[in-house]
Amino acid sequence: MQMTLESEPDILDDAEDEQSIQTSFSITSFGTDYPVEIIAPRIRSSDWYAPLFRRNFVWSLNQASRFIESLLLGLPVPGIFLFKEIKTGKHLIIDGQQRTKSLQLYLDEDRFANKKFRLTNVSNPYNGKAFSELDLADQRRLKDSILHATIFRQKSPEGDNSSIYEVFERINTGGSKLPAQEIRACINHGPAVEFLEKMASKEVWRSVFGSSSKWLKDQELILRFFAFIDREANYSNPMKKFLDEYMSSLHTKNNFRNLERQFDETFGFFHESGIAKPFRPERALVAAVFDAVSVQTSRLISASTLPRDYVDRCRKLLTDTHFLNLCSSATADPERVRSRFATAKSFLQKQ
């Protein structure tokens, strides 16, 4: 079972310190009106779905009831934002999850706070009534009510859906930045996200990383491990884009068996080796130390060339001034990435 503690693990992460690259988007969008009666089945069937990390329903019964009452009274309500996936035809709910989920729960007469969903603290004749207990005229009025939706898709840049990052951040956070891995999980929902969650729940990983990260920083480190295993030679900055592109490639991958084997071998070794905190030269886990040490160690294990005195070599590496300097500043610079990987290799491999 994945451990959950209130404190967030200390991680020094270079990707967050990089300047973002300004991108101009070409986006097509249009507005359309949806009758309430078709929204419930779309939510139920996941034709409309919320991001994985934002799926919790947080409205209170009173909030949901007041929203539904507004529709029954014919009052205007805020519209919703949907991103249309071209390949699947599904819609990602960028803004409007609480409203659409409230409608689905009420029309389906689902449970709300462990009780049948009945409107509460609203005006008569609606107060205390489930959907089937409304007058037929009120049922029709609610089902015929309209929710306006803005639907958009990205035309350029081609090959990614990066505009979702900007729209989601600006609508949902008032301009404050969301953690990058949360957004990757939103855009690449499905097998890739489930795979990273599975890896992060393993005991061998928890023993190395510590408590789980509510910002998914542990899953981002796992993604980073796989990205450098596969694409170290093709690395270019910014680090965030490098990880974005690799996450997208994982999203289309059908078989994760080899990646899981590498993961188990590598972090199983760290778990059993007796090295105390192998990626923490001091108190915090340093992402630049993590990628160089974990990737080079994984390659030695795969090649069956792990030296017998590996533990001593690793300890010496973690006190080497040159290596620590490469891991302390400008760590996403391609030349410094290559240099720290080469330094780790020279310390850890057999002579």
Side-chain angles (χ1 to χ4, degrees):
M1 179 180 294
Q2 185 168 332
M3 297 185 296
T4 302
L5 300 179
E6 290 186 3
S7 59
E8 184 76 6
D10 291 318
I11 305 172
L12 298 181
D13 182 7
D14 43 55
E16 292 182 348
D17 296 330
E18 294 180 293
Q19 288 187 338
S20 61
I21 297 177
Q22 294 294 96
T23 302
S24 296
F25 300 102
S26 175
I27 293 174
T28 60
S29 65
F30 63 92
T32 189
D33 292 331
Y34 287 102
V36 163
E37 68 175 336
I38 75 167
I39 292 174
R42 294 195 178 196
I43 297 292
R44 193 190 316 120
S45 66
S46 297
D47 286 342
W48 290 7
Y49 67 95
L52 281 172
F53 60 90
R54 297 288 180 182
R55 284 187 177 170
N56 292 333
F57 186 70
V58 298
W59 266 11
S60 66
L61 179 58
N62 284 348
Q63 286 175 299
S65 297
R66 291 280 289 177
F67 172 67
I68 291 168
E69 180 195 30
S70 294
L71 294 172
L72 286 165
L73 294 173
L75 299 176
V77 296
I80 62 176
F81 267 75
L82 305 172
F83 177 83
K84 184 174 182 178
E85 295 180 344
I86 302 304
K87 290 184 178 179
T88 66
K90 291 187 173 185
H91 292 74
L92 174 65
I93 303 171
I94 302 298
D95 182 53
Q97 178 190 354
Q98 306 303 313
R99 280 160 276 163
T100 54
K101 187 64 176 177
S102 294
L103 290 169
Q104 182 259 310
L105 291 173
Y106 190 63
L107 267 67
D108 287 353
E109 300 209 339
D110 213 328
R111 298 182 71 79
F112 197 119
N114 297 319
K115 296 184 293 185
K116 187 173 183 178
F117 189 175
R118 288 186 167 87
L119 301 180
T120 184
N121 287 334
V122 298
S123 58
N124 288 322
Y126 314 124
N127 197 45
K129 291 186 177 181
F131 176 72
S132 62
E133 296 165 348
L134 295 173
D135 292 342
L136 289 177
D138 290 328
Q139 291 182 26
R140 294 189 192 99
R141 183 178 300 108
L142 181 59
K143 290 192 295 183
D144 289 343
S145 296
I146 295 298
L147 209 59
H148 182 76
T150 300
I151 301 174
F152 72 98
R153 67 180 181 89
Q154 179 180 317
K155 293 178 64 178
S156 67
E158 295 182 359
D160 65 41
N161 289 326
S162 52
S163 63
I164 299 180
Y165 288 26
E166 298 295 333
V167 176
F168 195 94
E169 285 178 358
R170 292 163 194 265
I171 290 178
N172 287 274
T173 68
S176 62
K177 222 166 169 51
L178 286 173
Q181 191 60 27
E182 287 196 353
I183 303 175
R184 292 186 193 108
C186 163
I187 295 173
N188 300 285
H189 65 96
V193 173
E194 293 167 4
F195 173 66
L196 293 179
E197 289 175 344
K198 179 183 178 182
M199 298 303 98
S201 70
K202 287 177 178 275
E203 182 182 354
V204 294
W205 173 256
R206 298 262 64 89
S207 69
V208 170
F209 181 81
S211 59
S212 60
S213 165
K214 64 182 178 180
W215 305 123
L216 305 187
K217 295 302 295 182
D218 49 348
Q219 293 183 34
E220 182 172 77
L221 283 174
I222 295 171
L223 177 70
R224 185 174 175 131
F225 168 73
F226 289 130
F228 276 112
I229 285 284
D230 283 353
R231 299 184 177 182
E232 179 197 346
N234 299 320
Y235 171 77
S236 62
N237 58 341
M239 179 72 71
K240 179 178 176 295
K241 184 178 180 182
F242 175 66
L243 297 179
D244 289 346
E245 291 176 348
Y246 188 73
M247 185 73 175
S248 295
S249 74
L250 273 187
H251 181 53
T252 61
K253 192 174 182 65
N254 295 320
N255 191 336
F256 299 99
R257 189 174 303 168
N258 287 335
L259 292 180
E260 184 169 2
R261 176 187 53 78
Q262 286 180 294
F263 182 89
D264 289 342
E265 288 177 348
T266 303
F267 295 101
F269 168 77
F270 284 120
H271 176 63
E272 297 170 0
S273 67
I275 305 174
K277 301 179 179 179
F279 314 119
R280 293 173 168 83
E282 295 183 358
R283 185 175 69 89
L285 188 153
V286 180
V289 172
F290 168 83
D291 59 42
V293 174
S294 65
V295 169
Q296 297 296 17
T297 301
S298 181
R299 288 174 177 157
L300 292 172
I301 292 171
S302 294
S304 299
T305 56
L306 199 70
R308 292 183 178 180
D309 60 346
Y310 172 90
V311 173
D312 290 336
R313 290 170 178 269
C314 188
R315 287 173 178 157
K316 289 178 181 178
L317 174 65
L318 295 181
T319 59
D320 181 72
T321 303
H322 175 63
F323 178 69
L324 294 179
N325 176 59
L326 291 170
C327 296
S328 63
S329 63
T331 54
D333 176 76
E335 185 56 40
R336 290 176 71 83
V337 169
R338 284 189 286 272
S339 184
R340 75 167 176 267
F341 271 75
T343 302
K345 182 178 180 181
S346 68
F347 268 80
L348 298 178
Q349 70 180 356
K350 291 179 180 178
Q351 301 299 321

